[in-house]
Structures are given as C-alpha cells and as structure tokens.
C-alpha cells in the first residue's frame, strides 16, 4: 500500500556552507581556546543574531580586517542585552552555556 499525503523532507539542518554548493563538512576544522568571558560573548552573539557560532566568527574576522560589514546598531543592542542577561545569570551562580 502506497503512502498518501504530504511527502516528508529530510530531518536536521541543511549542510550548507557560505557559498552555494559548499558543504560545511568540507571546511577545515579549527579548535581554539577562549577565556570564559569571550566564550560567553560568542555564545550570546550567536544566540542574539540567530547564527551558528562559526558564522559569527567569520563575520567578526571579516569585519576586523575590513572585508565585511560591521554589526548594525540594532544587532549590537541585541547582543549587549543578551550579554547583560548572561552576566546576571553568572552572578546568580547558575551554570551557563
């Protein structure tokens, strides 16, 4: 008996890279050590901007060297708000990201 109804797509995220046709799994892996406060900033920026951490790092590097756009005023405001919330959670002694 054939199934009827809406066809199901694949589960999970699409393995896309920065440019069309690229796969994230084709990129070189990088491991870095970050101080806890900087890691908190990365996590906060990733959550506030709704982007994966690797995309936040790429945007930050490109903005730093001048080949990419900086954050807009609204994006900066959202990231600062999330950082403040993150700091309050740390002060309360709760485990964070």
């Amino acid at each position: 008996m054939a199934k009827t109804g809406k066809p199901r797509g694949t589960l999970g995220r699409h393995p896309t890279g920065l440019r069309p046709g690229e796969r994230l799994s084709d990129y070189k892996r990088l491991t870095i050590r970050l101080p806890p406060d900087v890691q908190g900033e990365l996590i906060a920026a990733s959550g506030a901007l709704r982007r994966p951490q690797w995309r936040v790092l790429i945007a930050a590097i490109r903005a730093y060297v001048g080949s990419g756009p900086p954050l807009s005023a609204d994006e900066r405001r959202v990231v600062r708000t999330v950082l403040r919330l993150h700091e309050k959670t740390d002060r309360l002694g709760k485990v964070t990201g």
Side-chain angles (χ1 to χ4, degrees):
M1 194 192 278
K3 290 186 178 183
T4 60
K6 191 174 176 182
R8 291 184 60 174
T10 58
L11 298 176
R13 293 183 181 200
H14 299 288
T16 58
L18 288 175
R19 292 171 280 281
E22 290 183 336
R23 294 181 308 175
L24 189 59
S25 61
D26 292 337
Y27 291 172
K28 298 287 185 185
R29 184 177 301 265
L30 172 69
T31 303
I32 58 172
R33 295 179 187 268
L34 297 173
D37 59 325
V38 176
Q39 183 182 11
E41 290 178 26
L42 176 60
I43 292 168
S46 174
L49 299 171
R50 297 180 181 212
R51 294 182 198 149
Q53 291 178 8
W54 65 272
R55 285 191 183 260
V56 172
L57 288 172
I58 288 171
I61 291 167
R62 288 184 172 163
Y64 183 78
V65 298
S67 65
L71 290 179
S72 70
D74 287 339
E75 289 173 324
R76 286 182 190 274
R77 183 182 47 76
V78 170
V79 170
R80 280 195 306 265
T81 301
V82 172
L83 282 172
R84 273 190 242 114
L85 291 172
H86 185 71
E87 289 169 359
K88 286 181 184 178
T89 305
D90 283 347
R91 283 193 297 256
L92 294 174
K94 294 181 181 176
V95 177
T96 59

